[in-house]
Amino acid sequence: MHKVEIISIFVENKPGKLEKITKILADSQINILGFSITSVKDFGVIKIFVDKTQEAYQLFKEKGFAVAITPAIGIEIVDKPGGLHEVVKFISSKGVNIENALVYVPESRKKAFFIFEVDNFEESLGALKNNGYNLLTKDYIK
Amino acid sequence: MFWNKEIECMDEEKLRELQLKKLKEVVKRVYERVPFYKKKFDEKGIKPEDIKTLDDIKYLPFTSKMDMREAYPFGLFAEPLSEIVEVHTSSGTTGKPVVAGYTRKDIELWAELIARSLTMIGVTKDDIIQIAYGYGLFTGGLGFHYGAQKIGATVVPASAGNTRRQIELMKDFGTTVIACTPSYALYLAEYAKEEMGIDPSALKLKKGSFGAEMWTEEMRKEIEKRFGIEAYNVYGLTEIIGPGVAHECPAKNGLHIWEDHFLVEIIDPETGETLPEGQEGELVITSLSREGMPMIRFRTRDITTLHREKCDCGRTLARIERIKGRSDDMIKVRGVMIFPYQIEQAILEVQGVEPHYQIVLTRPHYLDEIEVQVEMSKEVFSDDVKTIENLRKKLEKRVEEAVGVRVKVTLVEPKSIPRSEGKAKRIIDKRNLK
């Protein structure tokens, strides 16, 4: 199944907030594979892509965070000039709108995945599949 | 169910007769026994004999919280200390506390009021009632204690605080009735679910009597939903006797005042004029039966409306609406009067946000600013900044509409606003008004 999952956490925009989150992950030996931060004045949403999604989600929930899991699609980018451009062009040609995105680099200077959220997951995935592009699977992360 | 049906369903004319008889007696008593009242009556040129009808009460002077502070500690007692068997005080957060003195008969009266109140909502000797109001100087704990024992219910005197133990007791003892502040009730439900993995609606709890702070219909619905119970409103104040001055009946349409013991008026808080029935204003109470410390026209600072239409429950006694505001709690922001309940109602209307909020007042550049911090709820958390920002804007708009001044709404992390185990501290005033 070409579905990966991203964890989103609500945070106030204050010093030390990110540190609280990274500490929880570090203490539980959960590896961050990619992340992004979006903020609006006083608050923001931290998105992380980790190796143990469910475990991380439970941990944050138990610690009282406002946390959610969102499905996402990962698509391989070739590490060369224009690599991201080509992938993005392909996605838009299929009428798929990118909501939030981050990058996962499993092998430095060799392989990278562009990971993004979409409006309508199933439909978007259907449109992107079987077009010669390498889509990320959950198994690959392990 | 009725504890004292004869009184609770008394014919109105008879009730007025009884009130007049008692009013004359109490006015005479305080005039003769309490120098504070004698001085005030004399200043107004009024003698106890001048009170000929219930209407004549308007000639009597008001008693304020300020008067009570000046009389600290025992200046308003109408009985010598040898007859006083118990004292209670208000929290005294804004100065010297108010002291209330009770004779043995006053304690019995108090128990009767709570017994009527609890019986009205169906509490019987077969119930197990957990009293999670503070025991001690605060009137909440002991007032309920006396009344619940009078009914013969099994009292669990848990007092306030120690939330984990409260829930363990509820679970292990099979508590059927709870009495506490509404904000603490919500905290109990949250704590049970999230810290102990106990579904609050699976407890044996059937009903609750909640008061000692202002709350809203939305909060009632929330408490009822989370515990799967019927939640009722209780009203009272230390100056008058404590909880049990008025209580809701199953109709949940206003709180019946035990009028055989309390004479109530609604006045315009600015002018002191008595307002016609059905108009919102400040509640003024005269205690007709207290021995230790009778109160004449006490200005409660509580804003409500009085209704006399017959109630579905069959009681003839008047009802007050849920307390809408308190002149002490009222905040003036840029000259506009704001009550915290307006803000609370607005937040709760915007669906999904938990009722945990705090109002922060600042004056950064000679102009008041009002910030409302609302906790982000796990239930409505969206992974998307845009959606959250829209929620924030919606909250801001609703609160602004409700209070009529510009408001800044900030979303904060779950559980970042301190939980209270007694009265919720909703307002943080950081303005330097000196």
Side-chain angles (χ1 to χ4, degrees):
Chain A
M1 180 41 186
H2 300 292
K3 180 171 116 181
V4 290
E5 282 166 334
I6 292 174
I7 290 177
S8 309
I9 304 160
F10 175 85
V11 278
E12 283 169 56
N13 207 346
K14 282 183 190 159
K17 293 291 177 189
L18 181 59
E19 187 187 316
K20 243 167 71 187
I21 288 167
T22 48
K23 183 173 189 316
I24 290 169
L25 294 171
D27 288 350
S28 304
Q29 295 287 308
I30 294 170
N31 197 14
I32 302 174
L33 307 173
F35 76 96
S36 79
I37 301 173
T38 323
S39 68
V40 179
K41 282 188 291 182
D42 302 318
F43 70 87
V45 173
I46 292 177
K47 290 184 175 282
I48 46 170
F49 182 52
V50 295
D51 54 351
K52 295 171 217 160
T53 313
Q54 275 307 326
E55 198 178 311
Y57 173 71
Q58 285 305 333
L59 262 173
F60 285 117
K61 222 171 116 179
E62 278 161 27
K63 303 249 183 223
F65 284 87
V67 56
I69 288 188
T70 336
I73 298 168
I75 188 163
E76 189 177 342
I77 317 169
V78 185
D79 193 3
K80 64 167 194 203
L84 178 61
H85 173 68
E86 192 197 328
V87 163
V88 171
K89 202 170 70 182
F90 161 66
I91 296 169
S92 67
S93 75
K94 295 290 172 188
V96 173
N97 192 33
I98 298 165
E99 289 291 323
N100 290 296
L102 51 86
V103 172
Y104 162 46
V105 186
E107 287 171 71
S108 189
R109 302 299 309 162
K110 277 187 187 153
K111 199 173 226 174
F113 284 92
F114 180 62
I115 299 177
F116 56 101
E117 294 168 18
V118 291
D119 276 340
N120 187 330
F121 182 80
E122 293 300 333
E123 201 178 291
S124 303
L125 183 62
L128 300 174
K129 257 193 325 201
N130 308 323
N131 276 289
Y133 285 86
N134 189 15
L135 298 184
L136 186 61
T137 63
K138 264 188 188 168
D139 306 332
Y140 185 84
I141 304 164
K142 288 168 199 165
Chain B
M1 287 194 333
F2 298 90
W3 178 260
N4 190 340
K5 191 164 185 187
E6 200 189 322
I7 292 285
E8 295 175 43
C9 300
M10 204 173 188
D11 174 67
E12 199 180 333
E13 212 170 300
K14 277 202 179 132
L15 177 67
R16 301 291 159 245
E17 264 172 48
L18 177 69
Q19 285 185 318
L20 180 60
K21 182 175 155 274
K22 285 187 159 190
L23 177 66
K24 285 179 177 172
E25 282 169 13
V26 74
V27 168
K28 189 162 175 284
R29 271 193 80 221
V30 297
Y31 188 78
E32 287 168 357
R33 289 169 170 244
V34 187
F36 162 86
Y37 283 115
K38 181 169 190 306
K39 185 166 163 263
K40 279 194 118 185
F41 285 20
D42 287 346
E43 275 168 14
K44 275 202 123 190
I46 186 156
K47 292 267 177 284
E49 308 83 78
D50 298 333
I51 303 300
K52 296 194 168 68
T53 67
L54 281 178
D55 237 22
D56 293 339
I57 194 171
K58 61 173 183 260
Y59 302 120
L60 295 173
F62 290 116
T63 308
S64 69
K65 210 164 184 143
M66 201 57 111
D67 291 329
M68 302 203 63
R69 295 220 168 97
E70 277 168 27
Y72 179 87
F74 307 138
L76 286 172
F77 288 11
E79 290 287 341
L81 278 181
S82 57
E83 296 305 311
I84 301 291
V85 298
E86 188 167 322
V87 287
H88 284 275
T89 73
S90 68
S91 49
T93 41
T94 47
K96 281 262 186 222
V98 163
V99 184
Y102 302 71
T103 62
R104 195 167 301 280
K105 240 178 117 184
D106 287 335
I107 296 289
E108 277 163 26
L109 166 66
W110 199 7
E112 157 92 16
L113 301 174
I114 293 286
R116 285 187 198 176
S117 302
L118 291 175
T119 305
M120 179 158 64
I121 60 167
V123 178
T124 69
K125 67 195 289 288
D126 297 323
D127 278 298
I128 301 170
I129 178 166
Q130 188 160 328
I131 298 168
Y133 283 115
Y135 275 65
L137 286 169
F138 176 51
T139 52
L142 283 167
F144 268 90
H145 188 91
Y146 298 141
Q149 282 202 334
K150 195 174 175 82
I151 289 177
T154 308
V155 174
V156 183
S159 196
N162 203 340
T163 308
R164 178 173 289 271
R165 194 183 59 190
Q166 297 274 3
I167 293 153
E168 278 166 2
L169 291 173
M170 285 162 87
K171 190 167 161 270
D172 298 345
F173 292 0
T175 301
T176 55
V177 181
I178 179 118
C180 64
T181 63
S183 58
Y184 191 53
L186 281 177
Y187 181 56
L188 280 169
E190 185 182 284
Y191 193 95
K193 196 171 146 207
E194 283 167 25
E195 304 292 327
M196 300 171 75
I198 293 170
D199 175 7
S201 67
L203 292 167
K204 288 214 174 106
L205 220 53
K206 290 184 298 187
K207 51 197 67 161
S209 175
F210 306 103
E213 69 186 11
M214 216 105 49
W215 55 311
T216 59
E217 275 307 307
E218 283 76 9
M219 255 175 108
R220 187 215 299 270
K221 280 180 207 141
E222 199 60 36
I223 291 170
E224 292 190 331
K225 192 177 87 192
R226 293 199 190 178
F227 281 107
I229 61 170
E230 297 289 328
Y232 300 96
N233 204 344
V234 57
Y235 176 74
L237 55 175
T238 312
E239 294 84 349
I240 297 301
I241 197 158
V245 173
H247 202 289
E248 266 177 343
C249 67
K252 289 183 192 163
N253 185 20
L255 294 78
H256 287 284
I257 295 205
W258 306 119
E259 285 187 286
D260 52 327
H261 300 301
F262 307 107
L263 188 58
V264 292
E265 305 164 79
I266 300 287
I267 63 158
D268 179 328
E270 302 265 303
T271 65
E273 299 282 322
T274 310
L275 292 173
E277 197 189 307
Q279 222 162 300
E280 190 174 284
E282 183 181 327
L283 181 67
V284 171
I285 307 178
T286 299
S287 55
L288 300 171
S289 315
R290 286 292 306 280
E291 285 185 339
M293 198 178 75
M295 272 287 140
I296 304 296
R297 299 194 88 196
F298 179 70
R299 291 192 58 164
T300 64
R301 316 307 291 182
D302 289 326
I303 308 292
T304 184
T305 312
L306 192 67
H307 294 283
R308 293 209 178 276
E309 314 91 73
K310 203 178 168 197
C311 180
D312 293 344
C313 72
R315 283 175 188 80
T316 48
L317 306 179
R319 281 164 292 160
I320 50 166
E321 285 180 15
R322 151 194 300 290
I323 303 300
K324 292 262 183 70
R326 196 152 197 155
S327 6
D328 303 344
D329 279 352
M330 187 185 79
I331 39 180
K332 254 191 165 167
V333 178
R334 301 186 187 185
V336 178
M337 288 190 289
I338 295 175
F339 291 107
Y341 81 90
Q342 295 173 303
I343 292 177
E344 177 159 338
Q345 202 133 4
I347 297 169
L348 298 181
E349 269 172 38
V350 179
Q351 210 210 352
V353 176
E354 290 198 20
H356 290 298
Y357 69 98
Q358 208 161 44
I359 300 160
V360 183
L361 299 170
T362 51
R363 184 172 284 181
H365 308 291
Y366 305 103
L367 203 56
D368 296 341
E369 283 193 4
I370 172 164
E371 179 189 349
V372 182
Q373 298 177 343
V374 183
E375 272 186 19
M376 184 74 205
S377 118
K378 277 183 238 177
E379 285 77 21
V380 296
F381 172 63
S382 144
D383 58 295
D384 180 49
V385 174
K386 267 184 291 178
T387 321
I388 303 170
E389 178 61 10
N390 284 341
L391 172 75
R392 196 191 64 78
K393 283 191 179 143
K394 206 165 134 197
L395 280 166
E396 213 163 65
K397 189 161 164 280
R398 274 301 297 121
V399 176
E400 275 179 17
E401 282 167 4
V403 300
V405 288
R406 264 203 80 74
V407 165
K408 179 186 173 198
V409 168
T410 313
L411 293 171
V412 297
E413 288 168 18
K415 302 218 170 92
S416 60
I417 291 173
R419 297 295 189 264
S420 74
E421 298 191 341
K423 295 196 185 199
K425 184 156 175 56
R426 298 298 194 194
I427 304 162
I428 311 272
D429 198 339
K430 291 182 180 168
R431 293 178 295 186
N432 188 358
L433 299 181
K434 275 167 205 152

